Amino acid sequence: QAFLCVTSTLNVALFRDHLVLEDLVEEMKKQSPALSFGPLQRDGRIAVQGSFPALRGLREFLLLRARSLSEEHKKEGKSQQRARRKLQEHRGAAEMRNSIRDVHRERQVLVLDTDIYHYMKYFYLKAFQGDDVVISGVTDGDITTVCIESAASKAGAAQGLKAKKMMENYSVELQKILRKERISFRELSRAEKQRFKQLWERLKARYPKVLITPSDTHIDVVGTPADVFGFTEEVRR
């Protein structure tokens, strides 16, 4: 299987005003025992490795934790002077906390493997379409964070949840059936690369369910094992 495990880098520096980050990491480990955690860096970043469902569960836990801390902070901050001082000293952190509250209240967030995200976006376009729903993705290496924004109403929230569920279901199915192969052409001359490009463009018509992602040194081929094997074998011949 090609898409069973992924590594993501989380930034928990947001919680520094309210929690000891080392204690928070211990909470995260207890909450998500199926995940592997790297060392906590000075800037608040920590690498986490595991399955996509486990990473989604951890993200939801952190969103709820952030919302809870924000509400506690609001109750404690009755003094206008203290609130003004905190605003001046931690304006950036406050803006990030507000953003997370907005995500929890009006947006749905989904973490996907980048290749699955692009495959889904190319071949399952209906998952990205819906009434009053705007879907965007931010890619960071092998991980793409998908933001599903909907209108601030019950109907809008229902549409957002429906879109998220559809993408989750597609993601689970695609993880089971997709395979990825990388074909390098680093050593080829410019003319050979051009002929290589013409070749894979012709092959795409014979393998319509294969996603080709080119770069300067290689192409990534994503599809079913049979399609990927057939495509790569023809290219290599």
Side-chain angles (χ1 to χ4, degrees):
Q1 299 290 332
F3 304 100
L4 296 182
C5 185
V6 70
T7 299
S8 179
T9 300
L10 303 180
N11 188 347
V12 295
L14 168 67
F15 296 91
R16 185 172 276 130
D17 289 345
H18 303 285
L19 297 172
V20 177
L21 294 188
E22 288 76 6
D23 293 342
L24 175 62
V25 171
E26 291 303 316
E27 283 188 56
M28 292 161 59
K29 290 179 179 178
K30 292 178 181 179
Q31 175 71 22
S32 305
L35 296 174
S36 298
F37 293 81
L40 178 65
Q41 304 299 319
R42 288 186 176 181
D43 61 358
R45 296 180 183 274
I46 184 170
V48 185
Q49 185 179 66
S51 66
F52 289 106
L55 283 171
R56 283 197 293 266
L58 177 61
R59 177 178 286 272
E60 291 173 3
F61 164 74
L62 290 175
L63 288 173
L64 290 173
R65 197 76 172 87
R67 186 187 185 198
S68 174
L69 288 171
S70 182
E71 290 175 351
E72 291 176 7
H73 177 67
K74 184 177 180 180
K75 292 179 181 179
E76 294 172 356
K78 294 181 179 180
S79 168
Q80 293 184 357
Q81 183 179 1
R82 180 183 176 187
R84 190 180 301 111
R85 185 172 66 252
K86 294 295 289 184
L87 180 62
Q88 292 172 346
E89 294 176 354
H90 305 289
R91 183 180 300 273
E95 290 174 352
M96 293 179 69
R97 285 195 294 272
N98 290 336
S99 176
I100 286 183
R101 288 202 302 274
D102 290 343
V103 166
H104 180 81
R105 187 172 59 251
E106 299 179 0
R107 304 175 188 174
Q108 301 295 326
V109 177
L110 189 60
V111 180
L112 298 176
D113 174 273
T114 295
D115 293 306
I116 287 181
Y117 168 75
H118 286 300
Y119 192 92
M120 191 187 304
K121 192 172 183 180
Y122 192 84
F123 292 109
Y124 295 81
L125 188 59
K126 65 179 181 180
F128 292 81
Q129 298 174 338
D131 296 334
D132 297 323
V133 175
V134 177
I135 300 176
S136 58
V138 178
T139 297
D140 182 10
D142 293 335
I143 288 289
T144 294
T145 301
V146 182
C147 179
I148 305 169
E149 298 182 77
S150 56
S153 64
K154 289 185 177 180
Q159 288 293 329
L161 285 170
K162 180 180 178 181
K164 180 184 178 183
K165 188 64 177 177
M166 182 184 297
M167 297 182 75
E168 285 178 333
N169 291 339
Y170 279 138
S171 174
V172 170
E173 292 303 314
L174 291 174
Q175 286 181 49
K176 297 176 182 177
I177 66 173
L178 291 184
R179 181 181 181 86
K180 177 180 176 180
E181 188 80 17
R182 176 165 293 181
I183 303 176
S184 174
F185 49 79
R186 186 186 300 273
E187 304 301 327
L188 300 182
S189 66
R190 180 175 298 181
E192 289 173 329
K193 288 181 180 180
Q194 184 60 33
R195 289 196 298 272
F196 188 50
K197 181 178 180 181
Q198 293 171 353
L199 170 62
W200 85 58
E201 289 291 344
R202 290 198 303 270
L203 288 175
K204 282 171 62 176
R206 296 176 55 184
Y207 297 91
K209 289 298 184 180
V210 167
L211 178 66
I212 308 299
T213 306
S215 74
D216 293 336
T217 59
H218 63 268
I219 62 170
D220 286 332
V221 185
V222 179
T224 64
D227 281 347
V228 170
F229 177 80
F231 185 95
T232 54
E233 283 299 299
E234 292 203 45
V235 168
R236 284 164 178 153
R237 282 202 300 268

